[in-house]
Amino acid sequence: MKDTLHAAPLKIGETTIDAEHELQMQLLDSLTEALERGGDFSPTRYVLEQFIEFSDMHFLSEQLVMRLHGYPGYETHLEEHTRLMKKAREIREDVFRGEKAPSLQLIHELRDWLLHHIATEDVAFGEFLKKQEGQSS
Ligand SMILES: [Fe+2]
Ligand SMILES: [Fe+2]
């Protein structure tokens, strides 16, 4: 598995969305660090809850911007967000059961998945927005 820890997400060219992506990655890095430290699970739980809450908010706002702009890739994009959050909630179940190792593996996968999603689907949406702005000005 390639080590993507601390790899920065690609920019999509939308300031708010880009800042939110940075924060998503920072939360996943903190989560990995908390898991690697081991011991007490409360920091892990806390960061994971923050990641889930923040990602729910980020995905909803991204979807809202897509609907406002009549983005044709909306449905497929929504499915990807839903799949990611399902995985994040499964990881939360593991953490609550106190299983360290599978959670760490899952978080690496989650991080790779999210970086890939940003670099492909989110970047495609950023390009769509840029094209729309070009047409309206
Ligand atoms: Fe997205
Ligand atoms: Fe995103």
Side-chain angles (χ1 to χ4, degrees):
M1 182 178 34
K2 72 177 189 300
D3 185 14
T4 53
L5 188 62
H6 304 306
L10 272 185
K11 297 239 185 293
I12 77 152
E14 232 280 10
T15 317
T16 311
I17 293 179
D18 283 332
E20 289 175 3
H21 288 159
E22 287 283 346
L23 190 53
Q24 275 185 309
M25 289 303 155
Q26 281 167 20
L27 286 167
L28 285 182
D29 287 343
S30 303
L31 190 53
T32 304
E33 283 157 19
L35 271 171
E36 281 171 347
R37 260 198 312 272
D40 181 9
F41 271 101
S42 54
T44 305
R45 277 197 198 113
Y46 179 72
V47 184
L48 187 56
E49 285 302 332
Q50 279 194 319
F51 174 77
I52 288 175
E53 266 179 44
F54 184 74
S55 295
D56 273 336
M57 185 283 290
H58 165 69
F59 288 152
L60 279 174
S61 74
E62 215 176 72
Q63 288 154 211
L64 182 67
V65 181
M66 284 176 191
R67 284 208 304 267
L68 284 172
H69 290 267
Y71 183 51
Y74 172 77
E75 291 296 335
T76 321
H77 205 116
L78 175 72
E79 276 172 31
E80 288 217 355
H81 287 172
T82 307
R83 205 175 326 136
L84 180 101
M85 291 317 294
K86 187 172 178 272
K87 200 164 188 180
R89 290 189 163 86
E90 281 168 11
I91 293 169
R92 178 168 63 184
E93 293 304 306
D94 282 353
V95 170
F96 274 77
R97 272 189 246 115
E99 297 169 26
K100 185 192 167 197
S103 303
L104 195 54
Q105 162 77 21
L106 279 170
I107 283 152
H108 285 163
E109 286 173 15
L110 191 70
R111 198 178 197 291
D112 282 346
W113 188 96
L114 191 57
L115 275 177
H116 180 75
H117 173 79
I118 293 167
T120 57
E121 300 299 320
D122 287 351
V123 162
F125 176 56
E127 278 161 12
F128 170 83
L129 279 181
K130 254 176 262 164
K131 226 180 276 171
Q132 266 208 344
E133 280 160 19
Q135 279 164 6
S136 63
S137 62

